[in-house]
Amino acid sequence: MAGGSVAAAGNEDGSRLWLRLDNANATAVITGVKGTAMTELQTYWQGGPVVLKRQKGIAKDGYTIKSQSGKTVISAASDAGLLYGAYHLLRLQQTGQSCENLDIREEPFYDLRILNHWDNPNGTCERGFAGKSIFLNPDPERMKMYARANASVGINGAVLNNVNAKPEALSTESLQKTKSIADQLRPYGIRVYLSINFASPIKVGGLKTADPLDAEVIKWWKDKVDEIYKLIPDFGGFLVKANSEGEPGPMDFGRTHADGANMLAGALKPHKGIVMWRAFVYNPQSSDRANQAYEEFMPLDGQFADNVIIQVKNGPIDFQPREPYSPLFTAMQKTPMMVEFQITQEYLGAANHLVYLAPMWQEFFSFVKPGSLRAMAGVANIGDDTNWCGHHFAQANWYAFGRAAWNPSLSPEQIADEWLKATFGLNDQFLSPVKQVMLDSREAAVNYMMPLGIHHVFAGGHHYGPEPWYSPKGVRADWTPPYYHRADSIGMGFDRTTTGSANVRQYPDELCRLYNDISTCPENLLTWFHHVPWDYRMKSGRTFWDELCHKYDDGVRQARQFLAVWDAMQPYVDSQRFSEVQRKLRIQARDSEWWRDACLLYFQTFSHRPIPQDMEHPVHNLDEMMKFRIPISMYENPVSGYNK
């Protein structure tokens, strides 16, 4: 439907994600290579005859789609390529595009397009906001839908367990369960990987050490890897978090990250497995947490085995609403690297806020050339909630991750357009305003949470909501907001210039000079790199304090506008999804006020300057907000934020 105001018929619960495909025509004729691609087309294709054909000379996972003599011919060198081609054809059908006169050639930019699930053996999902793990008691139909959704956007790998790995992940019982999951995902071109605990030789194998250079340890890992591949011949490899946040690692035994990674790589290499070694490390003794990964990994550049990939978070701190890119990406020239994005919204309103992340990832790739990386990983936002992600629009970030990993040059606009059409239909009166909400949502969240380079001023523990004052006794400084905002009577921000922590020196010379000078530093990163005086004159002509106030208020007005736009969409959306999204947007609008009021009133105790008269003033009281706590863990989504 291209127009009109007819409400969508029936209710939908989001369980079909973006694969809301009608059944195929009874006359649809699909011939050629039998397999999952044929099954999908036989079930959902509504057009003319399709031929599935194996053809050499096409890149791994790539395919061609061509209209030939009244038929559509999908060619690929592998079953996975045929499946990706089939989903491409179905996407054209579903989004209302022409399926005639086709001449398409596609291949993925990255060979490895991997979801990282932070799922625990007890079924909890760290930073998960959509219920329990789908792998706890895998339901065959649920697993099939999970596999179809991933394959439809080109995702070809899944790390099944938390990077804070429990040693029992490598027990024989757990490996049998991993085998069962791998068997269910394999027909959709998805390989499984495991996060491992570096101390497993001690805790599972009963050895006295996990020293990566110890002969018994090396043998234990070789035997364990051989055991895994006997069960799962196409097992992908290991993801490792080591010597970070209390997790064990090679440095516990006087060894380096390279020693640990290369030992594991040696065990995996005969099976063509890989090691993804995370660079998320920080030492409480470092002068600046943002410097730590560079300080630990740069001396090791070029020392890693060729089947080791260093997995680096997009920013140098921890998935903040806005960060500069991690300087490791441009500094390490001799080591394969991959980026780790966070699809789940640990720092962006959990499953209560609509925040479309493709613009954030596009911003990252404007600094880091996609071709400089080997792979792309995303921390999943998937659980056993009916709608999979806790928020109907959070599904868009799962979709966007897959599409961007396949082709990083796809624009956020194109990806949003595809997802909206597949998920909600083709009504133009719905698509245009809601797509604009999606495209504006990340910047709005930055505005009402942490504008102008402010970072990590979240509540302790679960990270939902503002607590710029959070600084309990006994907690290490770099786990507290004052470590980052450093507000005082002069100004606020972390001095990372050459006369401060010198973090700017980790960037290429051109960026170092740009960031080091407060007059040239981009204003959206100003307090990231500078301790900015309250009366510093901004490009708008306002003082820094007044600009900060207005940015927060801009975010509140944007969040309210998102709700207003959605309220007007009722004629075009089924009542269940309309109501569920509306409730979330109301929470987001209230939370935006909470963020603005808590941050401005708290920072005002340092600035001693008035809130500008040409904006809405806070409506909450600082003392009451400072007493407010949400009694949740890092494994659940809050019902709402501050609502006194």
Side-chain angles (χ1 to χ4, degrees):
M1 183 171 62
S5 59
V6 180
N11 282 331
E12 296 195 41
D13 58 14
S15 61
R16 292 192 294 165
L17 297 163
W18 50 88
L19 294 174
R20 299 164 59 255
L21 297 157
D22 295 326
N23 289 335
N25 291 335
T27 57
V29 177
I30 316 297
T31 59
V33 179
K34 292 179 170 58
T36 309
M38 177 175 283
T39 300
E40 288 292 297
L41 291 171
Q42 287 174 335
T43 307
Y44 300 111
W45 175 242
Q46 296 180 322
V50 177
V51 179
L52 296 167
K53 177 182 173 184
R54 280 207 184 88
Q55 182 176 318
K56 294 181 179 180
I58 298 177
K60 179 185 177 183
D61 289 351
Y63 56 86
T64 64
I65 307 176
K66 297 184 178 182
S67 300
Q68 295 178 353
S69 305
K71 298 179 180 179
T72 302
V73 180
I74 302 176
S75 303
S78 66
D79 287 349
L82 290 173
L83 182 59
Y84 297 140
Y87 279 124
H88 188 141
L89 188 62
L90 290 170
R91 183 165 59 245
L92 295 178
Q93 170 184 281
Q94 193 180 14
T95 56
Q97 299 180 65
S98 173
C99 295
E100 298 179 358
N101 302 315
L102 298 177
D103 187 4
I104 296 167
R105 188 179 189 93
E106 286 268 340
E107 61 184 72
F109 194 89
Y110 295 118
D111 287 343
L112 302 173
R113 309 171 297 278
I114 302 175
L115 288 181
N116 289 183
H117 289 268
W118 287 0
D119 295 16
N120 296 314
N122 64 0
T124 58
C125 301
E126 184 168 335
R127 309 304 177 187
F129 311 112
K132 296 284 190 178
S133 169
I134 62 171
F135 305 126
L136 179 61
N137 296 298
D139 173 72
E141 286 304 309
R142 187 83 168 174
M143 295 305 299
K144 180 180 177 181
M145 187 65 189
Y146 168 80
R148 291 181 63 230
N150 280 328
S152 74
V153 292
I155 293 169
N156 68 347
V159 182
L160 302 183
N161 61 319
N162 195 350
V163 289
N164 296 316
K166 305 297 183 185
E168 55 261 37
L170 294 179
S171 70
T172 299
E173 180 182 358
S174 292
L175 291 177
Q176 287 290 344
K177 185 175 182 179
T178 301
K179 173 190 174 354
S180 174
I181 294 170
D183 290 344
Q184 294 175 75
L185 301 184
R186 187 174 296 110
Y188 296 86
I190 301 167
R191 300 174 77 180
V192 301
Y193 301 74
L194 288 174
S195 297
I196 58 104
N197 183 294
F198 199 80
S200 294
I202 299 172
K203 298 179 179 180
V204 177
L207 301 185
K208 294 181 179 180
T209 182
D211 182 348
L213 301 189
D214 182 272
E216 288 189 1
V217 171
I218 294 170
K219 182 180 185 303
W220 186 89
W221 279 110
K222 179 185 180 301
D223 292 345
K224 180 57 67 174
V225 167
D226 289 346
E227 177 188 351
I228 293 171
Y229 277 93
K230 285 179 182 177
L231 291 170
I232 310 167
D234 58 351
F235 179 71
F238 294 144
L239 174 64
V240 189
K241 177 179 180 179
N243 292 119
S244 173
E245 297 183 320
E247 292 299 311
M251 296 171 75
D252 299 340
F253 308 95
R255 311 303 184 187
T256 69
H257 290 289
D259 292 330
N262 292 345
M263 178 273 294
L264 293 171
L268 288 161
K269 189 161 189 176
H271 306 280
K272 299 183 180 179
I274 63 169
V275 176
M276 297 168 286
W277 191 274
R278 294 177 89 234
F280 180 61
V281 294
Y282 55 97
N283 188 313
Q285 280 73 49
S286 179
S287 63
D288 181 358
R289 176 173 163 182
N291 287 346
Q292 187 67 25
Y294 184 102
E295 291 170 352
E296 284 195 24
F297 278 85
M298 271 306 295
L300 303 174
D301 193 18
Q303 296 182 26
F304 292 92
D306 60 8
N307 60 327
V308 174
I309 308 175
I310 303 303
Q311 182 166 310
V312 185
K313 291 186 178 184
N314 57 287
I317 296 293
D318 191 13
F319 300 132
Q320 298 302 287
R322 170 164 280 122
E323 296 184 65
Y325 74 88
S326 170
L328 276 179
F329 287 114
T330 46
M332 293 187 79
Q333 298 292 318
K334 304 173 185 176
T335 302
M337 285 186 293
M338 60 191 291
V339 62
E340 176 181 325
F341 292 124
Q342 193 175 46
I343 306 168
T344 191
Q345 292 169 225
E346 175 183 355
Y347 294 104
L348 284 161
N352 287 338
H353 292 204
L354 191 166
V355 184
Y356 175 53
L357 297 177
M360 175 192 287
W361 303 335
Q362 181 189 52
E363 184 174 294
F364 168 83
F365 282 123
S366 72
F367 289 93
V368 178
K369 294 179 180 179
S372 68
L373 305 177
R374 281 275 299 276
M376 189 164 145
V379 181
N381 62 350
I382 298 161
D384 68 357
D385 278 5
T386 300
N387 69 16
W388 293 87
C389 301
H391 192 310
H392 291 287
F393 276 81
Q395 297 175 2
N397 292 327
W398 178 6
Y399 182 95
F401 171 80
R403 295 291 283 134
W406 183 275
N407 182 1
S409 68
L410 288 175
S411 71
E413 292 87 348
Q414 180 176 342
I415 296 172
D417 188 76
E418 287 179 5
W419 179 80
L420 281 170
K421 287 176 177 176
T423 307
F424 288 100
L426 306 182
N427 193 305
D428 293 335
Q429 296 180 58
F430 173 87
L431 291 171
S432 180
V434 176
K435 181 164 62 175
Q436 196 59 53
V437 166
M438 291 177 67
L439 295 173
D440 292 343
S441 60
R442 185 272 182 128
E443 199 63 37
V446 170
N447 284 340
Y448 65 69
M449 288 184 176
M450 283 166 287
L452 303 178
I454 299 171
H455 50 290
H456 224 302
V457 296
F458 300 92
H462 53 70
H463 297 159
Y464 190 89
E467 281 189 21
W469 50 81
Y470 175 77
S471 187
K473 291 182 180 179
V475 174
R476 52 187 279 183
D478 59 0
W479 286 359
T480 68
Y483 174 89
Y484 298 98
H485 66 66
R486 307 202 168 194
D488 57 26
S489 61
I490 297 170
M492 69 177 293
F494 200 122
D495 182 2
R496 293 189 166 102
T497 67
T498 54
T499 57
S501 75
N503 173 255
V504 293
R505 293 193 189 279
Q506 296 183 354
Y507 290 90
D509 289 346
E510 183 179 357
L511 284 178
C512 175
R513 291 192 297 270
L514 183 79
Y515 293 151
N516 193 60
D517 186 339
I518 194 171
S519 68
T520 60
C521 182
E523 289 188 345
N524 62 12
L525 293 173
L526 202 59
T527 64
W528 185 283
F529 288 110
H530 295 271
H531 191 77
V532 185
W534 298 117
D535 292 326
Y536 176 76
R537 193 63 59 180
M538 303 290 284
K539 291 182 174 65
S540 66
R542 299 185 182 117
T543 65
F544 168 70
W545 169 251
D546 284 358
E547 185 77 0
L548 183 67
C549 292
H550 277 281
K551 284 290 185 184
Y552 272 108
D553 198 53
D554 287 347
V556 172
R557 289 188 289 106
Q558 287 173 293
R560 290 173 180 165
Q561 178 62 20
F562 297 163
L563 175 59
V565 169
W566 187 256
D567 285 346
M569 295 299 106
Q570 188 168 9
Y572 315 115
V573 186
D574 61 280
S575 60
Q576 180 174 345
R577 288 191 296 173
F578 174 80
S579 176
E580 289 172 355
V581 172
Q582 185 183 58
R583 293 178 73 87
K584 297 283 189 179
L585 287 169
R586 286 171 176 167
I587 294 171
Q588 185 170 357
R590 292 195 301 269
D591 281 357
S592 70
E593 292 182 359
W594 175 31
W595 269 97
R596 177 197 63 192
D597 294 359
C599 291
L600 289 184
L601 291 176
Y602 173 73
F603 292 137
Q604 191 180 37
T605 66
F606 298 96
S607 75
H608 303 294
R609 284 153 176 79
I611 305 290
Q613 288 300 313
D614 58 345
M615 59 168 275
E616 181 178 289
H617 281 217
V619 295
H620 301 103
N621 298 311
L622 180 60
D623 60 336
E624 293 173 338
M625 288 185 288
M626 290 181 72
K627 294 175 184 175
F628 179 71
R629 296 288 184 275
I630 301 177
I632 61 169
S633 69
M634 66 177 72
Y635 309 114
E636 56 195 305
N637 191 58
V639 174
S640 66
Y642 183 79
N643 52 23
K644 184 170 181 179

